[in-house]
């Protein structure tokens, strides 16, 4: 499979999920500004919506939309437990989280990354995010991950979104449970591997 990604973008979530599952994906780096693909190619031809992530299956079929991609990946290795069984109430809980993250958090961040967003609107988006983070912080009290003990695909997504507080100058320490969550996920070996592969953190020095 091929995963079209941009470093540190929401595509980091399916990248982490693939590594957590031990699924090998060929990484295809996309320049989301000019829609070029590293090594050649026009990303518009891959995803006519023009955004990452996009997953190309071995059949050549392509899947877009992060929440759908992470569930597809998790369902390839159901025993890994990154998504509860299809049809179970827990699976709907996971989808409840994914929908919340994509509509209430991810899409509030998007204008903060756009150079043409008016400053007054950025302020409003940050206020909206703060109220969502306030609620999430309470939800995470006493929990390792969104669904309790198990790490799920929703946690990979929330990790990426909470990491975006840094480039957008939002102080995550206002929400200690969220900050602890971000650190907990960042410490997972497969998360570190994904971040290193995207050039977001330095590669480990070989021990002598
Ligand atoms: N609805 C899409 C949104 C994906 C999205 O916002 N991708 C961003 C990076 S995080 C992107 O590629 N933006 C470039 C653009 O829209 O031109 C999803 O959930 O997968």
């Amino acid at each position: 499979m091929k995963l079209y990604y941009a470093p540190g973008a929401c595509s980091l979530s399916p990248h982490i999920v693939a590594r957590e599952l031990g699924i090998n994906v060929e990484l295809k780096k996309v320049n989301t500004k000019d829609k070029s693909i590293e090594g050649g190619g026009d990303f518009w031809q891959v995803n006519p919506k023009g955004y990452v992530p996009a997953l190309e299956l071995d059949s050549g079929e392509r899947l877009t939309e992060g929440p759908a991609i992470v569930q597809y990946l998790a369902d390839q290795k159901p025993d890994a437990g990154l998504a509860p069984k299809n049809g179970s109430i827990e699976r709907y809980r996971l989808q409840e989280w994914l929908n919340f993250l994509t509509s209430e958090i991810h899409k509030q961040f998007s204008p903060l990354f756009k150079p043409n967003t008016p400053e007054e609107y950025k302020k409003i988006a940050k206020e909206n995010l703060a109220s969502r983070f306030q609620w999430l912080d309470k939800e995470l009290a006493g929990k390792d991950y969104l669904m309790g003990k198990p790490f799920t695909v929703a946690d990979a997504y929330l990790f990426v979104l909470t990491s975006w507080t840094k480039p957008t100058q939002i102080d995550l320490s206002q929400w200690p449970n969220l900050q602890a969550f971000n650190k907990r996920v960042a410490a997972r070996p497969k998360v570190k591997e994904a971040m290193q592969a995207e050039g977001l953190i330095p590669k480990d020095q070989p021990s002598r």
Side-chain angles (χ1 to χ4, degrees), residues 9-10 32 35 50-53 65-67 102 106-107 164:
C10 50
T32 51
K35 313 297 175 193
Y51 50 64
V52 292
E65 303 300 324
T102 203
H106 182 169
K107 285 296 141 181
W164 288 352

Side-chain angles (χ1 to χ4, degrees), residues 3 10-25 66 69-77 80 82-83 98 151-157 160 190-191 194:
L3 178 67
C10 50
S11 45
L12 176 59
S13 157
H15 183 182
I16 289 170
V17 167
R19 284 183 190 261
E20 289 276 350
L21 291 166
I23 294 177
N24 262 330
V25 288
I69 293 174
V70 291
Q71 291 184 75
Y72 175 84
L73 289 170
D75 286 343
Q76 304 311 301
K77 297 262 181 104
L82 260 64
L98 289 171
F151 176 84
T152 70
V153 297
D155 298 304
Y157 197 9
V160 174
K190 297 295 168 187
V191 174

Side-chain angles (χ1 to χ4, degrees), residues 5 7 10 30 32 34 43-44 63 68 72 77 93-94 98 101 128 134 136 157-158 166-167 171 175 200 202:
Y5 82 102
C10 50
V30 176
T32 51
D34 67 12
F43 186 59
W44 287 118
L63 195 59
Y72 175 84
K77 297 262 181 104
R93 284 276 168 240
L94 176 78
L98 289 171
L101 296 175
N128 293 340
Q134 186 72 26
L136 258 176
Y157 197 9
L158 179 59
K166 216 172 177 182
D171 177 13
W175 307 290
L200 301 170

Side-chain angles (χ1 to χ4, degrees), residues 163-184:
S163 299
W164 288 352
T165 54
K166 216 172 177 182
T168 54
Q169 281 114 41
I170 295 172
D171 177 13
L172 194 58
S173 71
Q174 303 169 69
W175 307 290
N177 297 318
L178 262 185
Q179 189 177 45
F181 167 89
N182 181 274
K183 285 197 177 140
R184 190 174 302 123

Side-chain angles (χ1 to χ4, degrees), residues 35 51 77 85 95 110 129 132 154 156 163 167 187 203 206:
K35 313 297 175 193
Y51 50 64
K77 297 262 181 104
K85 195 172 175 296
Q95 290 171 346
S110 300
L129 277 168
R132 297 303 184 207
S163 299
K203 295 219 159 82

